[in-house]
Amino acid sequence: MDTYVNDAARNEAYSLPLDKIDVSNPQLYYNDTWYPYFERLRREDPVHYTPDSPYGPYWAVTKYRDMVKVEVNHKVFSSSDDLGGIRIDDPPKGMERPSFIRMDPPEHDEQRLVVSPTVAPGNLAKMESMIRERTCHVLDGLPRGEEFNWVDRVSIELTSMMLSTLFDYPIEQRRALIRWSEIAICDINAPDAPVRSEEDRFAELVKFTEHMNELWEDRAKRPPTFDIISILAHSERMNRMPLRERMGILILFLVGGNDTTRNSMSGGVWGLSRYPEEYAKVRADRGLIPGLIPEIVRWQTPVIHMRRTATEDAEIGGRAIKKGDKVVIWYISGNRDEDAIAEPNRLIADRARPREHVAFGFGIHRCLGNRLAELQLRILWEEILNRDLKIEVQDKPVYAYSNFLRSIKFLPVRLAA
Amino acid sequence: MPKVTYIEHNGTAHQVEVPVGLSVMRGAVNNGVPGIDADCGGECACATCHVYVDPAWLERIGVPEPGSMEASMLSFAAAAEPNSRLSCQITMSEALAGLVVRMPEGQH
């Protein structure tokens, strides 16, 4: 087995009494020491009850097949903010920011159908040449022979440009969107958190929404286009949403549109540097790129968990779930489940059935932007290979203090001169 | 063995033998027919094996039950039509020998 963690983490994961294992601790993701805890749960207690956590009691679903069953059963396992939403921590009272990811049918369906044309295949085909042009420009501007942060110079740079296109937002101000995205999604207890309380977060997000309202009103006066603001401004169902709902849908696109793909862009570089023999396979056969992309997304798993709430008594993997229980689906564990994925800790460039992973979720809440994410990643790797860039990773990545997004903050690299 | 014709969005046709009992999705994936992604591996959980059933076959194959998971997933697929199905939910039988399905511009 590929060991990712020091013996101390492994010893602790296997010596704790089972009921003391709490995989919600953001430290596990900050230190990247989560592997043995989930490995033990998958083997010994795959649907695991943690009676006491900072977020209250919860069930941890750790096996791939159990996750699929929960995700397709949205009637029993609700995403609604009224019951607690989609994260292990409940939304702050009075400051909820609802959007369709935090709704059940029929409200979910109505909103999702309005916004999905933004990232539908027809619109993606129109974006491809623009994404390629930007990717070439960013790669060609990288320094040679000196260390730089791949996350900032490539991953954030490319995904912030994508965000400005999705919102049709002034591209020169794109880093403002990244800042608001960080504010929207950060753990307020993280050492580098840009906001320290839910009240401060909410105040910043009000500013963001009011700022975007100017664009919204402008789009309403113009003919409809495919950017998300225009689609919302021209939608009879969504154009007059109250502030917090407007905030909710904008934040969903803001975070979903950058912080996930960003981390796959960084994670792919880290992963292929750990498995140079896999990178050699892709260099020798470009035909492997279509399979490499979903494999990178699986290996990184940018979204660590999703949460549901049981609307009635139910059963998962033989365990009795009570109405009202909090059920947390740990994608990060499902994508390392040996019973679903062979040698799951390895990044394998020519893996059989690479598309079968749980990083995008399943069922009606499955990631809306998954094909846009894959398109950006495919172009990035095609252009890295076109240039035969020798990316030398200088040190292991620095991860965010978060149990929700597996975000890479820093990845020092050097390009051979 | 019954055959299925899969027609890509660009018009390229692939005629493939699909064993009875296998899904139409699996028939494509096992034979490397492009245009069917099947991300969930046949769990009716992703809508990336979306096909348009040739109108001549629609009555025999039927449409998904209203309110079913397939109907729900299909409602979020790009460019769904009244003859849209998830090919993982169509099981091959002798009665379906000669079936023709078309793929959308992209799976989403």
Side-chain angles (χ1 to χ4, degrees):
Chain A
M1 126 131 255
D2 199 336
T3 51
Y4 276 78
V5 291
N6 52 44
D7 289 344
R10 183 162 296 276
N11 288 341
E12 182 180 289
Y14 277 91
S15 61
L16 276 174
L18 258 183
D19 69 345
K20 296 288 178 212
I21 291 190
D22 176 9
V23 288
S24 73
N25 184 355
Q27 201 77 39
L28 297 179
Y29 309 97
Y30 187 49
N31 294 337
D32 204 33
T33 51
W34 49 273
Y35 300 84
Y37 297 89
F38 283 110
E39 181 191 79
R40 182 170 176 212
L41 290 182
R42 287 193 302 271
R43 288 174 185 172
E44 298 178 23
D45 195 23
V47 181
H48 172 72
Y49 190 67
T50 301
D52 187 26
S53 89
Y55 314 98
Y58 69 93
W59 292 95
V61 180
T62 66
K63 298 284 283 181
Y64 185 104
R65 293 286 155 213
D66 289 333
M67 287 177 202
V68 178
K69 284 181 195 148
V70 171
E71 295 237 87
V72 299
N73 195 356
H74 54 261
K75 290 192 183 77
V76 173
F77 299 106
S78 166
S79 295
S80 169
D81 252 358
D82 299 339
L83 301 178
I86 56 156
R87 291 176 59 165
I88 191 166
D89 40 343
D90 293 347
K93 288 272 173 285
M95 295 182 278
E96 298 91 342
R97 302 175 279 275
S99 66
F100 62 92
I101 195 175
R102 298 171 167 275
M103 293 174 186
D104 294 330
E107 293 81 7
H108 160 272
D109 303 9
E110 291 165 3
Q111 279 207 6
R112 182 167 171 132
L113 286 169
V114 169
V115 296
S116 56
T118 310
V119 287
N123 207 31
L124 296 193
K126 290 183 213 151
M127 293 183 194
E128 177 158 356
S129 64
M130 177 196 65
I131 295 172
R132 189 175 302 279
E133 198 177 304
R134 288 172 176 175
T135 304
C136 292
H137 182 72
V138 164
L139 292 179
D140 290 339
L142 294 174
R144 301 289 178 132
E146 63 179 75
E147 187 178 305
F148 64 92
N149 179 10
W150 181 268
V151 176
D152 185 64
R153 292 293 298 260
V154 180
S155 312
I156 291 181
E157 194 58 7
L158 288 174
T159 50
S160 63
M161 286 192 262
M162 193 70 246
L163 266 189
S164 72
T165 298
L166 286 176
F167 285 93
D168 194 10
Y169 185 84
I171 196 158
E172 61 281 6
Q173 294 168 39
R174 61 190 180 273
R175 293 279 174 143
L177 296 176
I178 298 297
R179 181 177 159 270
W180 273 313
S181 177
E182 304 284 348
I183 287 168
I185 207 67
C186 75
D187 186 317
I188 54 174
N189 299 311
D192 58 349
V195 283
R196 297 274 171 204
S197 71
E198 289 299 342
E199 289 72 21
D200 287 354
R201 188 194 326 254
F202 191 77
E204 281 285 348
L205 294 175
V206 168
K207 283 188 217 161
F208 163 68
T209 309
E210 286 171 350
H211 176 64
M212 298 307 270
N213 276 347
E214 293 168 24
L215 294 184
W216 189 305
E217 278 157 30
D218 175 62
R219 296 297 142 73
K221 293 178 202 143
R222 297 166 187 268
T225 47
F226 271 106
D227 69 271
I228 184 62
I229 313 269
S230 178
I231 283 179
L232 292 169
H234 286 277
S235 159
E236 276 185 37
R237 195 175 292 281
M238 296 173 80
N239 65 358
R240 280 184 294 276
M241 287 191 297
L243 176 76
R244 285 193 293 108
E245 285 190 39
R246 207 175 261 222
M247 202 185 260
I249 190 83
L250 291 170
I251 291 168
L252 178 59
F253 270 80
L254 183 71
V255 175
N258 92 95
D259 208 350
T260 48
T261 308
R262 179 204 306 178
N263 295 314
S264 292
M265 286 182 170
S266 307
V269 169
W270 169 235
L272 288 167
S273 79
R274 295 203 46 143
Y275 299 103
E277 68 283 10
E278 299 297 326
Y279 190 51
K281 287 184 198 168
V282 187
R283 279 186 72 206
D285 178 7
R286 297 287 195 94
L288 295 180
I289 294 176
L292 172 69
I293 300 314
E295 172 66 353
I296 286 174
V297 175
R298 177 196 71 83
W299 194 81
Q300 173 64 23
T301 311
V303 179
I304 295 172
H305 81 261
M306 278 285 160
R307 170 263 183 94
R308 304 289 183 249
T309 308
T311 58
E312 56 185 72
D313 290 357
E315 175 262 315
I316 309 169
R319 301 298 300 269
I321 312 295
K322 292 280 172 219
K323 179 180 177 177
D325 282 358
K326 189 185 285 199
V327 175
V328 184
I329 312 158
W330 294 92
Y331 293 153
I332 200 164
S333 177
N335 276 340
R336 291 293 189 281
D337 181 354
E338 302 80 351
D339 289 334
I341 293 153
E343 289 189 86
N345 282 328
R346 280 186 71 85
L347 196 164
I348 298 177
D350 52 354
R351 182 179 286 287
R353 304 193 314 278
R355 305 204 61 84
E356 291 180 33
H357 63 71
V358 74
F360 293 132
F362 287 119
I364 61 169
H365 292 287
R366 183 173 165 78
C367 175
L368 184 66
N370 58 13
R371 286 337 191 228
L372 177 58
E374 291 178 340
L375 176 65
Q376 294 173 82
L377 289 164
R378 173 170 63 76
I379 291 171
L380 175 62
W381 284 100
E382 283 171 356
E383 295 303 334
I384 287 173
L385 286 158
N386 279 344
R387 287 158 179 72
D388 198 21
L389 293 182
K390 309 272 190 303
I391 307 169
E392 299 159 3
V393 174
Q394 304 294 298
D395 201 353
K396 60 186 190 210
V398 176
Y399 293 92
Y401 181 94
S402 169
N403 61 26
F404 188 66
L405 284 192
R406 190 161 182 243
S407 200
I408 298 179
K409 296 289 203 186
F410 189 71
L411 181 67
V413 303
R414 185 179 165 279
L415 296 185
Chain B
M1 203 182 289
K3 286 181 180 161
V4 174
T5 302
Y6 302 85
I7 303 174
E8 289 182 62
H9 191 68
N10 65 14
T12 310
H14 306 259
Q15 200 176 57
V16 166
E17 290 188 334
V18 182
V20 169
L22 216 63
S23 73
V24 169
M25 174 279 280
R26 198 48 76 187
V29 170
N30 289 358
N31 289 285
V33 176
I36 291 184
D37 293 345
D39 289 9
C40 77
E43 306 278 347
C44 196
C46 74
T48 65
C49 65
H50 174 203
V51 295
Y52 304 111
V53 174
D54 188 275
W57 291 90
L58 195 56
E59 204 169 312
R60 244 169 295 180
I61 288 195
V63 294
E65 289 284 313
S68 65
M69 191 63 194
E70 185 183 351
S72 186
M73 292 310 297
L74 267 172
S75 71
F76 303 119
E81 297 290 340
N83 62 335
S84 287
R85 289 293 309 261
L86 295 183
S87 55
C88 70
Q89 301 302 304
I90 306 173
T91 305
M92 204 55 201
S93 65
E94 289 294 349
L96 295 186
L99 173 66
V100 178
V101 297
R102 290 177 175 77
M103 272 80 91
E105 179 179 14
Q107 299 288 351
H108 177 224

